[in-house]
Amino acid sequence: MHQVALNFLDGRTLFLEARPGELLLDAALRQGIKIPMDCREGVCATCRGRCDRGDYSQDYVDPEALSAEELAERSVLSCQTRVLSDAAFSFDFDSSLCRGAPAARLSAVVSRVEPVSDSSAILCLDASAAEGALSFLPGQYARLRVPGGEQWRAYSFAHAPGADKQLRFLVRLLPNGAMSNYLRDGWRTGDRIELEAPLGSFYLRHIDKPVLMLAGGTGLSAFLGMLDQLAEQGGCGQPVTLFYGVNREGDLCELPRLRGLAERLPGFVWHPVVMKPGEHWSGKRGLIPEQLDADALRAQAADIYLCGPPPMVDAMRDWLRQHGCEHLTLYLEKFADSGG
């Protein structure tokens, strides 16, 4: 066994044993240390750290996750790092994020499916019969198994945590996806769905500066949970602005809910943005970056939360770099359709 030290931003050090060649993430999870992670495929960089001492190898690292310069500086992805000797790794987050309960497997039943746009629906699940509490942070997601098969899909909770265990997920309906086909044609009230939750490190942090939320398509789901919680708290003392971008007007969803949140949440404003609007659309047109004031962003401190498909997230990150906004705190979540 190799002796491994994990050092965290709050000054705490946790120790574990790793088998020769074992993935660092697997060794940590096996011993109850839950390093934040999402994709487990070397793409998202959620489990990023640095090897401060020791030998290691990495299976696969996407160039978008770690640059060549970062790799040369011994940055690693825990899900791809194989421990080859006694070692020490450091992470730029607190140890408290690693000590939560593991993701739980539970069963829920379908209560209804609500079409909310031309291209999306809300899947409503009743998990009240599940034992124990279902805890998650607004912005996190669950993995759901499509009824009748072995395919799993990941969806953000579209609401704040609640004691009643009534769950809502905003799902994009693709032309021929496993979950999409089930929601269009196959669902029945009472169908049983297995889910795993909570997952993900995209969640609402402590707010002490203005917040800018940028949602692409069904990336809105994560923000609905965040906004729900802020509204329940009576606000956060800071302005919160949401830009919600879609391809066409028919893709817009949950507009009454957003209007209601604007009434309940002090300091909250939101703007729908349509890339290819019809001739009667009077709102904002084009892409989200085109709606932002670069001069104002450069001159202020703000937290930016960004959630959407990879091309949208990458374009937004490039825009922030090109306009000198690297000083802003950025939290992001890419999601892929994964076959729907």
Side-chain angles (χ1 to χ4, degrees):
M1 288 288 191
H2 297 312
Q3 303 300 311
V4 178
L6 306 180
N7 302 295
F8 298 92
L9 196 60
D10 56 355
R12 295 199 62 186
T13 301
L14 303 178
F15 295 89
L16 58 87
E17 292 185 337
R19 303 182 182 102
E22 186 176 17
L23 288 171
L24 178 60
L25 181 64
D26 289 345
L29 292 173
R30 180 166 52 80
Q31 291 161 85
I33 300 172
K34 187 183 177 186
I35 296 174
M37 56 88 176
D38 276 345
C39 71
R40 294 198 67 152
E41 296 178 355
V43 174
C44 72
T46 300
C47 62
R48 172 180 176 161
R50 190 181 72 176
C51 184
D52 297 322
R53 178 177 58 85
D55 298 325
Y56 65 95
S57 65
Q58 298 202 77
D59 290 351
Y60 171 76
V61 177
D62 189 277
E64 288 292 321
L66 294 176
S67 67
E69 292 79 8
E70 290 169 325
L71 290 171
E73 294 170 353
R74 296 172 63 86
S75 291
V76 300
L77 302 181
S78 302
C79 69
Q80 300 297 308
T81 298
R82 298 194 178 274
V83 181
L84 304 180
S85 72
D86 291 352
F89 296 87
S90 58
F91 300 89
D92 62 355
F93 48 81
D94 288 355
S95 63
S96 59
L97 292 181
C98 300
R99 302 186 68 84
R105 286 282 185 96
L106 65 150
S107 182
V109 296
V110 176
S111 54
R112 62 188 183 281
V113 173
E114 302 173 0
V116 288
S117 77
D118 293 347
S119 57
S120 60
I122 293 282
L123 170 60
C124 301
L125 300 180
D126 180 359
S128 59
E131 294 183 3
L134 175 58
S135 300
F136 62 91
L137 298 172
Q140 288 189 302
Y141 69 90
R143 293 178 67 242
L144 280 62
R145 186 164 71 177
V146 181
E150 296 300 322
Q151 295 171 297
W152 291 76
R153 298 291 183 263
Y155 302 108
S156 298
F157 291 95
H159 58 94
D164 60 0
K165 300 183 187 176
Q166 301 302 304
L167 312 179
R168 294 170 62 89
F169 300 95
L170 178 58
V171 180
R172 182 186 175 196
L173 300 177
L174 298 176
N176 188 29
M179 184 66 83
S180 300
N181 291 341
Y182 168 74
L183 296 183
R184 270 193 298 261
D185 307 317
W187 76 274
R188 298 290 184 272
T189 300
D191 284 352
R192 193 161 296 278
I193 288 185
E194 185 179 359
L195 63 148
E196 182 182 28
L199 296 165
S201 59
F202 185 71
Y203 53 84
L204 192 63
R205 270 71 171 183
H206 174 72
I207 295 176
D208 58 7
K209 56 179 73 73
V211 173
L212 181 60
M213 297 179 171
L214 309 176
T218 52
L220 177 68
S221 188
F223 294 117
L224 291 173
M226 295 180 184
L227 293 167
D228 268 356
Q229 184 175 73
L230 292 177
E232 290 171 5
Q233 295 172 351
C236 60
Q238 295 287 345
V240 178
T241 303
L242 167 70
F243 285 90
Y244 167 34
V246 297
N247 288 326
R248 296 175 175 81
E249 294 163 67
D251 297 324
L252 290 168
C253 68
E254 294 287 71
L255 301 187
R257 187 170 170 193
L258 288 169
R259 295 186 191 104
L261 285 164
E263 295 176 357
R264 296 167 52 211
L265 178 54
F268 171 57
V269 295
W270 63 284
H271 307 282
V273 183
V274 180
M275 185 169 65
K276 300 174 183 177
E279 59 179 328
H280 300 297
W281 174 253
S282 59
K284 296 184 180 297
R285 299 166 175 255
L287 302 173
I288 288 178
E290 298 168 359
Q291 319 304 321
L292 303 181
D293 186 334
D295 292 336
L297 285 174
R298 280 193 296 269
Q300 71 176 74
D303 289 338
I304 299 179
Y305 290 80
L306 172 59
C307 184
M312 177 260 191
V313 172
D314 291 340
M316 192 65 239
R317 293 175 70 185
D318 290 342
W319 186 94
L320 291 170
R321 284 194 295 265
Q322 293 166 5
H323 290 81
C325 298
E326 297 93 335
H327 66 288
L328 302 175
T329 304
L330 177 63
Y331 304 104
L332 60 87
E333 175 94 303
K334 291 183 184 181
F335 63 81
D337 290 323
S338 301

